[in-house]
Amino acid sequence: MNFGALFGAVREQRVRPSNRYVADEAAREITERLIRDAGYDPVRVGDLSRARDFENAVWLLMGVAPDRRRVLPIRGARRALMSALAFHSHLEVDVFEAVNWPEAMVPSRSPIHFTNELEVAASPETVWSLLVDPQAWPGFYPGVEHVRLLDGHDALHLGTRFETNLAGQDVFASVQEFEPVTRIAWGGHPKAAEASKAYHAWIITPTPKGCHLWTEETMQGPFWIELAKKAPDVFWRTHEELLAALAKVATERSGSPA
């Protein structure tokens, strides 16, 4: 996007537009001078401790994902919208828990980042039992034919190492976050491309009709980027299929209608 192309139009506006920003006090003067030079009125909305919330709001309003590579799917925008509302109006809103990213895999450092979510008519315990049972994965996880645990475990636990096949590749991963019936995350890489990393997190939140399922993933490295070039939304679409299949199996297991 070439925002410089808008500068001429900015000066033609009947009402001078504003530009919101976050900056520490020491950088405030120079930041506001640059904003005024561009034709805007500066509006400071906080120091750098508010940067993450501000980024969430900015990407939502622009309709672009933080990786600047694709349009933000509307289904993935719900929590960003809630965060933006809370940030700008200080309203009490229902914001689901955020992912606890490893520093090396935070979205701001990852060229590929996507989110998916779904309301599921099954209990958190039922959904959790499927996520931690590798024998159940082939029944709902697109493309997965097998999962082999490497530590003698019969289910996923914190630190469990495992091998599986994802995106047509043999993948090695390990469980890096584990809070029973609430959140789980694993990180890993294709065996043929160890420099290409991925981190996949899940958050389960109870709701009156079952649970809210949130999944989010970041990817780094040439292997994933080349796949994304061929089909920019391939990973997001795969996770949409994953959530739908997982919800179907969970509701069937719990005896609820799908």
Side-chain angles (χ1 to χ4, degrees):
M1 291 187 178
N2 180 13
F3 291 103
L6 299 175
F7 288 162
V10 168
R11 301 182 187 280
E12 297 172 0
Q13 301 306 302
R14 182 176 59 84
V15 178
R16 185 179 174 96
S18 62
N19 182 72
R20 299 183 181 187
Y21 74 96
V22 294
D24 289 332
E25 192 63 35
R28 184 170 183 173
E29 181 179 352
I30 185 63
T31 302
E32 293 192 350
R33 183 190 310 163
L34 292 171
I35 292 172
R36 289 192 179 94
D37 288 347
Y40 296 84
D41 282 333
V43 178
R44 184 171 182 258
V45 293
D47 58 25
L48 290 182
S49 68
R50 306 304 303 276
R52 177 61 184 272
D53 289 333
F54 186 60
E55 286 180 353
N56 285 342
V58 168
W59 298 125
L60 173 69
L61 295 174
M62 289 171 58
V64 180
D67 55 28
R68 301 175 178 83
R69 292 176 181 267
R70 61 175 176 79
V71 174
L72 181 68
I74 191 65
R75 288 194 182 186
R78 182 171 183 264
R79 186 169 53 174
L81 174 60
M82 295 298 99
S83 179
L85 289 173
F87 178 58
H88 290 293
S89 63
H90 306 290
L91 295 175
E92 291 187 5
V93 294
D94 182 18
V95 181
F96 296 106
E97 292 294 325
V99 171
N100 297 321
W101 297 104
E103 184 62 27
M105 296 300 298
V106 296
S108 61
R109 295 184 177 182
S110 304
I112 300 173
H113 170 223
F114 52 97
T115 67
N116 303 75
E117 62 182 317
L118 189 66
E119 300 292 334
V120 182
S123 69
E125 291 79 9
T126 299
V127 172
W128 178 262
S129 70
L130 292 167
L131 287 176
V132 300
D133 179 7
Q135 302 305 315
W137 281 24
F140 62 81
Y141 215 125
V144 170
E145 298 174 356
H146 66 272
V147 182
R148 185 166 73 94
L149 304 188
L150 304 178
D151 299 294
H153 300 162
D154 57 0
L156 297 183
H157 298 278
L158 183 63
T160 298
R161 298 174 303 148
F162 63 92
E163 295 176 347
T164 186
N165 57 311
L166 292 170
Q169 295 290 317
D170 290 330
V171 173
F172 170 83
S174 62
V175 178
Q176 299 183 25
E177 183 175 27
F178 189 91
E179 293 183 17
V181 197
T182 302
R183 57 171 69 221
I184 187 171
W186 47 79
H189 56 79
K191 289 185 177 180
E194 294 188 12
S196 294
K197 309 293 186 182
Y199 189 83
H200 189 180
W202 298 78
I203 300 174
I204 306 172
T205 304
T207 64
K209 295 184 179 180
C211 66
H212 176 271
L213 189 56
W214 176 276
T215 188
E216 190 165 357
E217 185 162 5
T218 55
M219 293 175 161
Q220 303 170 358
F223 177 83
W224 303 121
I225 291 173
E226 288 304 312
L227 286 180
K229 286 180 180 177
K230 297 175 184 177
D233 64 344
V234 61
F235 301 118
W236 182 80
R237 284 191 290 104
T238 298
H239 278 199
E240 286 289 282
E241 296 171 9
L242 167 59
L243 287 187
L246 176 56
K248 183 175 185 296
V249 174
T251 53
E252 290 173 350
R253 178 174 289 192
S254 65
S256 300

